[in-house]
Amino acid sequence: MAQASKTLFSLPIEPDGSVKCEDLDQVYLLSFQLPPDNRLTTSFCQTLILALDILQEKHPPGVIITTSAIPKFYSNGLDLASDASSAPATFFPHALYALWARLLTYPWPTVALVNGHAFAGACMLALMHDYRCMNPHRGYLCLNELELGVPLRPAMMAVFRQKLGAATLRTLVLEARRYKALEALREGLVDSLGGLEECLVWIEELGLKRKAGGVYGLLRREMWRETVERLGNFDVEVREEEERNEREQKEQEERQKRVRAWETGKLSKL
C-alpha cells in the first residue's frame, strides 16, 4: 500500500535542478535531480545541506531518505571539469566535504535509497548515510578512480576504511569493481534491497523514527571521528598533500640515482 505523502518544500539547484522534500509520516524523502546525472556540484551540495537544515530547524525529528528523481542515476559523482578542479579551495571544504560531514553527523537516521548508478563521489555520498537501500534491478556501486586516473583524497578514503572490511575495500578501490545490488549487499556496501516501499517497511521494522534526536548525532560523530575530522580540516589535507609530493620527488631522485649507478657499474664491466 502506497504511503500518503505531503510536499513540504522544493529548492532550486543551479542551473536547472531541484531538491523536493516530502513528509511520509516523519520519514522525510529528499528527491534530487540535476540533469543529466546528478553531478555533485557546489549548488547541488549546498542545496542539499539547506534542505537538511530546514528539516532539523522546522520539523519534528524523523528519518531522512535521499534519492534521485532521475531513474538511471543516484549520482554520477563529481564534475571533474568544473568546481572540483577550477575552485578546489572552496568546493571541497564548503560544498562537498560540508555535505558529507552534515550527513555523517546528522542528529536523525539517514538512508540513501540508491535507485540507479552511484559512481565515485556518489558512492562516497551513499556511504556517508547510516544505511543504504539499493534498487535490485538497476545500477552499480563503484569507485572508478583507478580507471579515471584520479587519486582518492584522505577524507574520501577514511569513510571506506571505517565502514568496510579490508578485502572489500581492496576490491572496491584497486580493482574498481562495479557492484550489483546482491553483491553489494553481501559485501556490506548496502544494508537492504528494494525501492521506496520496501525501504519504508525496512525503516519501520528497524524502528528508526524512534531513534531520531537526543544523542543520536553525538554518537554518530564519535563513531566516525576519523572521517569527521578529515572532512573538517581541508587545509591539513592540502598541507599533507604538498609534503607527500615533496617526499615523492625526493624518492624519485634517489631511485634514478641508484639506477644510474647500476647502469654505470654494468658499463664498467664491459
Side-chain angles (χ1 to χ4, degrees), residues 158-214:
V159 71
F160 292 102
R161 279 200 303 271
Q162 290 196 282
K163 291 195 174 187
L164 300 178
T168 301
L169 180 60
R170 179 187 62 199
T171 303
L172 187 68
V173 175
L174 298 182
E175 298 177 23
R177 173 82 61 85
R178 295 189 177 195
Y179 287 87
K180 291 183 178 180
L182 284 174
E183 188 178 15
L185 180 65
R186 185 170 61 250
E187 295 297 324
L189 283 162
V190 302
D191 304 282
S192 68
L193 303 180
L196 178 59
E197 289 301 315
E198 292 80 7
C199 187
L200 291 172
V201 170
W202 181 68
I203 287 171
E204 185 65 27
E205 290 175 349
L206 292 179
L208 293 185
K209 286 192 289 185
R210 298 192 301 272
K211 296 174 173 61

Side-chain angles (χ1 to χ4, degrees), residues 32 38 40 44-45 48 66 74-75 77-78 96 99-100 103-104 110-112 114 118-132 143 159-160 163:
F32 46 73
N38 293 329
L40 304 180
F44 181 102
C45 295
L48 201 49
T66 71
Y74 179 73
S75 168
L78 279 65
L96 188 69
L99 172 59
W100 289 353
L103 283 167
L104 202 58
T110 57
V111 180
V114 183
F119 293 144
C123 185
M124 301 171 207
L125 175 64
L127 262 289
M128 299 298 168
H129 295 68
D130 291 314
Y131 304 97
R132 285 150 296 286
L143 291 181
V159 71
F160 292 102
K163 291 195 174 187

